Amino acid sequence: MIIEPKTRGFICLTAHPTGCEQNVINQIEYVKSKGEINGAKKVLVIGASTGFGLASRITSAFGSGASTIGVFLEKGPSAGRPASPGWYNSAAFEKQATEAGLYAKSINGDAFSNEIKQQTIDMIKEDLGQVDLVIYSLASPVRTNPNTGKRHKSVLKPIGDVFSNKTVDFHTGNVTEVTIQPANEDDIANTVEVMGGEDWEMWIDAMKEAGVLADGCQTFAYSYIGPKLTEPVYRKGTIGAAKDDLEATSFKIAEKLKDINGNAVVSVNKALVTQASSAIPVIPLYISLLYKTMKEKGIHEGCIEQIQRLYADRIYGEDMQLDEKGRIRIDDWEMREDVQAEVDKLWAIATTENLSEIGDLKGYSDDFFNLFGFKVEGVDYDADVNEVVEIPSIS
Ligand code: NAD
Ligand code: NA
């Protein structure tokens, strides 16, 4: 079929297999171009199909020659209905890894459940014995807690006060004022349930108990801080409360891994266009101004550049350069004073009329469509493609 983007608000309902495959190939080429990283050889990535998790899987495999198991929740294709992008990404990744002689298997299911954890442990036991790196990169709006059976929904709201600021509809470029009512206690608790650290700890507990964590095993999860501008709706909002919890959990896990010489650390990553971040009000406007500024300064990075640098310079570099709260700061270039000062200046004057000039609206929009395999250079979108693509280890 001919597959075209079909957007509804912040989501795109279709994805292009050839475009997704090309994205994966481009990321692999980037990692290879940066040279070998002396990293882990047996790696589990939880949330491995898109964004930072996919970039982590690619960097482990093609930077360090690692065997990888990827866990994710994606929708497979059926005749006439394309799969979700993470499905096509994972199919392309497995194909490329296998061609390169690398072990790669995937598990498609709910990572929050006991069943998927057990299935993953069984696969590790059978195929790899143990893993020496676990990347935790889930982003989800909902979680069913397997201990209580209760389903929780996260929300993106400020805590305490009503928040009003500018935002942009990146499809139209319309800059408007958005007002968000503050969260109640349940909202906060639910968001922490979904995006906090409990599930990360449950994974590590289950894996340690099963003996599938190798001596010296490290685990990393990803967080975000961002500027003052977005603080009320991000870091000091409900999602920030969940990130506080995630970061606090890293110390609990690190303690539990001491006896196997392991470690658990959070990496604070840069703001990027992903399916998750497009849905957060105010953030798209911030990102479009940030992209413009960082591109002008020659320091713009996407997921793969971020994770390649995270591995090469921090995790497997001389020094993780932890901040005063024990976190890796690979958001260092985003948070640079000159970058933030410029974004502040642009933010103050941003309007519908000037945004395409002072902000990188096109870069935002292109990145958004790229997530779904559209607008990828070199792909012939007029060509007939087979939407039914299998993930080799799953079919
Ligand atoms: P993403 O949406 O691109 O990836 C989410 C991944 O989680 C996908 O692989 C998806 O399949 C998987 N997933 C979701 N629900 C699942 C479930 N129930 N079971 C199994 N898999 C499931 O998100 P992302 O932006 O790469 O985010 C990953 C992490 O990075 C998050 O913790 C996020 O907060 C953090 N982060 C994001 C940004 C940003 O700007 N995007 C910045 C810093 C940190
Ligand atoms: Na991810």
Side-chain angles (χ1 to χ4, degrees):
M1 65 188 286
I2 307 284
I3 306 174
E4 288 176 340
K6 219 185 272 168
T7 58
R8 189 172 295 157
F10 308 118
I11 55 168
C12 182
L13 301 169
T14 51
H16 200 281
T18 320
C20 289
E21 181 174 35
Q22 191 58 51
N23 279 336
V24 168
I25 291 170
N26 292 347
Q27 292 192 49
I28 290 171
E29 288 310 317
Y30 176 77
V31 167
K32 291 203 314 208
S33 79
K34 300 298 276 187
E36 225 172 279
I37 300 167
N38 188 12
K41 296 284 188 224
K42 296 176 181 181
V43 179
L44 170 66
V45 181
I46 304 158
S49 54
T50 56
F52 285 113
L54 173 64
S56 304
R57 190 176 195 186
I58 290 173
T59 304
S60 279
F62 291 90
S64 306
S67 300
T68 60
I69 293 177
V71 178
F72 46 77
L73 185 61
E74 300 293 343
K75 185 173 62 73
S78 54
R81 258 188 52 196
S84 56
W87 178 278
Y88 290 137
N89 291 340
S90 302
F93 173 83
E94 276 196 16
K95 186 176 148 203
Q96 295 296 324
T98 305
E99 278 175 20
L102 299 169
Y103 168 100
K105 280 193 187 174
S106 307
I107 292 176
N108 186 31
D110 181 9
F112 297 126
S113 70
N114 293 334
E115 292 71 26
I116 290 297
K117 289 184 177 73
Q118 191 55 50
Q119 208 177 305
T120 307
I121 287 167
D122 292 345
M123 188 182 273
I124 295 171
K125 274 189 178 162
E126 188 142 321
D127 294 352
L128 305 175
Q130 292 182 320
V131 291
D132 42 16
L133 174 65
V134 179
I135 299 290
Y136 187 85
S137 186
L138 291 182
S140 172
V142 290
R143 170 179 175 230
T144 300
N145 185 323
N147 292 336
T148 61
K150 225 182 129 188
R151 187 178 151 93
H152 302 271
K153 282 178 81 169
S154 69
V155 299
L156 295 158
K157 291 183 184 175
I159 294 174
D161 299 308
V162 177
F163 174 64
S164 290
N165 212 324
K166 293 177 185 178
T167 191
V168 67
D169 175 338
F170 60 86
H171 292 303
T172 62
N174 260 335
V175 178
T176 54
E177 190 84 3
V178 63
T179 297
I180 316 167
Q181 298 301 316
N184 60 36
E185 288 303 318
D186 278 352
D187 289 334
I188 302 168
N190 283 323
T191 307
V192 172
E193 275 276 346
V194 179
M195 288 297 285
E198 186 181 41
D199 182 62
W200 183 22
E201 190 176 357
M202 286 169 75
W203 268 98
I204 299 300
D205 283 347
M207 294 175 75
K208 188 170 185 235
E209 168 85 27
V212 297
L213 300 179
D215 189 71
C217 179
Q218 302 195 86
T219 182
F220 297 88
Y222 299 141
S223 187
Y224 183 64
I225 297 177
K228 276 259 170 310
L229 268 172
T230 60
E231 226 171 41
V233 73
Y234 197 95
R235 193 63 209 208
K236 292 194 173 157
T238 48
I239 182 70
K243 290 303 186 191
D244 287 344
D245 184 74
L246 182 81
E247 291 171 17
T249 304
S250 72
F251 300 106
K252 278 170 78 182
I253 298 177
E255 199 55 41
K256 291 180 176 184
L257 294 181
K258 266 198 176 143
D259 61 337
I260 58 164
N261 303 304
N263 200 6
V265 180
V266 161
S267 171
V268 180
N269 298 349
K270 174 197 188 208
L272 280 169
V273 179
T274 63
Q275 294 183 67
S277 66
S278 303
I280 310 178
V282 185
I283 298 278
L285 179 58
Y286 169 70
I287 290 182
S288 76
L289 300 175
L290 180 73
Y291 273 27
K292 179 79 168 189
T293 304
M294 292 186 81
K295 283 178 185 176
E296 262 171 21
K297 291 178 183 287
I299 51 171
H300 174 73
E301 296 175 301
C303 284
I304 197 66
E305 289 86 359
Q306 273 272 290
I307 299 298
Q308 198 281 335
R309 188 160 67 92
L310 169 68
Y311 276 50
D313 289 5
R314 305 297 168 87
I315 297 181
Y316 303 111
E318 304 253 283
D319 176 6
M320 290 206 270
Q321 300 171 41
L322 302 182
D323 71 5
E324 75 290 352
K325 290 186 171 165
R327 305 170 295 203
I328 296 175
R329 300 299 300 271
I330 208 71
D331 66 338
D332 48 350
W333 297 350
E334 168 182 0
M335 299 311 284
R336 248 169 55 175
E337 234 169 84
D338 59 320
V339 171
Q340 287 302 321
E342 181 65 22
V343 172
D344 274 345
K345 223 171 69 191
L346 297 173
W347 186 277
I349 60 167
T351 62
T352 305
E353 288 67 38
N354 66 19
L355 187 60
S356 56
E357 207 179 302
I358 69 163
D360 187 19
L361 207 52
K362 184 179 178 303
Y364 193 105
S365 170
D366 286 351
D367 273 12
F368 176 79
F369 284 106
N370 280 346
L371 295 175
F372 302 90
F374 297 110
K375 297 194 186 179
V376 178
E377 226 181 274
V379 174
D380 178 7
Y381 290 101
D382 297 326
D384 208 15
V385 287
N386 185 358
E387 67 281 14
V388 183
V389 177
E390 299 296 347
I391 297 176
S393 75
I394 289 177
S395 62

